[in-house]
């Protein structure tokens, strides 16, 4: 964590979905020692924001980066900003699960890789770890030894809390998300549960989590007797 009186860590949120971008910025601003400097919805917007921050003397230390952007790939943006001399660290916030993409992210200098969908606690955990990493390496001079270097990297890499709300598992979430993403039309919790091999109640918990994290939309389905049934749809463009 930042020491009392220390300058807040300035963050640029790069996310093509405005709703998700606002949610990320909210979590950043709630994390002690962090401040959202700007948000951007494309590679071009991000580069302009970085240039403006540098020209204004407003430190921009960290980029929360969606990888699938409307005018290019986030990893190419990483390379472009490095070539332009922007030193900000990068945390990828994405649903891109391809191992080749993960390897490329590491080679492009991404310090952490957070998979969508995730809860606010997972993002806060990454931010807290990043703050401790900066504090560990923030002093001048040489490392005291290998242990100090190892500790700095371990702070970034080791997770101490679940990335999902209690009671949810990543494999089941992947299955439900895959079912919803592949559906031609919206699905009820019962239909999603049948396709995923889980109960309606279980499916609904995962579907609601997808809604909460901005990856799915929920709407009532009318036309039947009685209460309308909730229908879930994968949000258009929610593949970042």
């Amino acid at each position: 964590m930042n020491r009392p009186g220390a300058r807040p860590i300035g963050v640029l949120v790069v996310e093509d979905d405005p709703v998700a971008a606002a949610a990320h910025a909210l979590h950043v601003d709630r994390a002690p020692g962090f401040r959202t400097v700007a948000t951007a919805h494309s590679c071009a917007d991000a580069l302009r924001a970085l240039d403006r921050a540098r020209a204004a003397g407003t430190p921009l230390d960290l980029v929360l980066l969606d990888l699938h952007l409307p005018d290019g790939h986030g990893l190419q943006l990483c390379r472009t900003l490095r070539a332009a001399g922007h030193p900000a660290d990068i945390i990828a916030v994405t649903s891109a699960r391809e191992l080749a993409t993960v390897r490329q992210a590491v080679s492009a200098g991404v310090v952490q890789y957070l998979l969508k969908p995730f809860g606010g606690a997972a993002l806060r955990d990454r931010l807290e770890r990043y703050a401790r990493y900066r504090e560990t390496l923030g002093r001048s001079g040489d490392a005291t030894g290998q242990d100090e270097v190892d500790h700095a990297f371990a702070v970034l890499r080791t997770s101490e809390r679940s990335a999902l709300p209690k009671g949810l598992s990543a494999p089941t979430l992947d299955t439900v998300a895959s079912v919803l993403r592949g559906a031609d039309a919206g699905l009820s919790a019962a239909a999603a549960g049948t396709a995923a091999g889980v109960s309606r109640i279980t499916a609904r918990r995962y579907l609601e989590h997808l809604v909460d994290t901005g990856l799915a939309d929920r709407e009532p389905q009318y036309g039947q007797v009685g209460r309308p049934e909730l229908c879930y749809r994968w949000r258009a463009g929610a593949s970042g």
Side-chain angles (χ1 to χ4, degrees):
M1 271 313 123
N2 279 17
R3 295 179 301 275
R7 176 182 64 79
I9 295 171
V11 180
L12 169 65
V13 174
V14 184
E15 165 64 57
D16 67 331
D17 180 353
V19 175
H24 296 346
L26 181 63
H27 288 305
V28 168
D29 291 334
R30 285 177 173 173
F34 287 85
R35 179 174 71 91
T36 301
V37 174
T39 59
H41 306 303
S42 67
C43 293
D45 287 346
L47 288 171
R48 283 192 290 268
L50 285 158
D51 287 339
R52 283 195 301 268
R54 181 160 60 182
T58 306
L60 221 166
D61 308 296
L62 177 66
V63 179
L64 295 186
L65 180 62
D66 185 11
L67 294 187
H68 290 237
L69 296 166
D71 59 345
H73 198 280
L75 293 182
Q76 183 56 49
L77 175 61
C78 292
R79 301 182 184 100
T80 301
L81 67 88
R82 290 292 180 249
H86 292 293
D89 291 319
I90 299 165
I91 296 178
V93 180
T94 177
S95 62
R97 297 169 180 268
E98 302 87 352
L99 292 179
T101 301
V102 177
R103 289 195 297 271
Q104 291 170 29
V106 173
S107 67
V110 171
V111 297
Q112 294 199 56
Y113 199 102
L114 180 58
L115 282 174
K116 297 177 182 177
F118 57 85
L123 179 54
R124 176 160 178 153
D125 177 63
R126 297 314 190 278
L127 294 174
E128 289 174 351
R129 289 185 167 280
Y130 176 74
R132 292 202 294 273
Y133 162 78
R134 281 177 61 88
E135 187 171 351
T136 300
L137 298 183
R139 66 178 181 81
S140 59
D142 297 337
T144 57
Q146 185 65 47
D147 286 347
E148 185 176 6
V149 176
D150 290 344
H151 174 68
F153 281 93
V155 162
L156 281 174
R157 303 295 182 231
T158 307
S159 181
E160 291 177 344
R161 56 172 84 153
S162 174
L164 292 173
K166 185 177 180 180
L168 300 188
S169 73
T172 303
L173 180 61
D174 289 344
T175 300
V176 174
S178 179
V179 165
L180 193 63
R181 188 187 297 113
D184 294 330
L187 294 177
S188 67
T194 299
V198 298
S199 71
R200 176 185 63 82
I201 294 174
T202 296
R204 183 168 182 175
R205 290 187 63 206
Y206 285 91
L207 291 167
E208 289 293 328
H209 177 70
L210 292 172
V211 171
D212 290 342
T213 53
L215 293 178
D217 293 315
R218 174 187 59 226
E219 59 186 20
Q221 187 173 44
Y222 296 95
Q224 300 175 353
V225 177
R227 295 179 59 187
E229 187 173 32
L230 291 177
C231 181
Y232 299 86
R233 300 176 187 274
W234 189 257
R235 178 172 291 179
S239 60

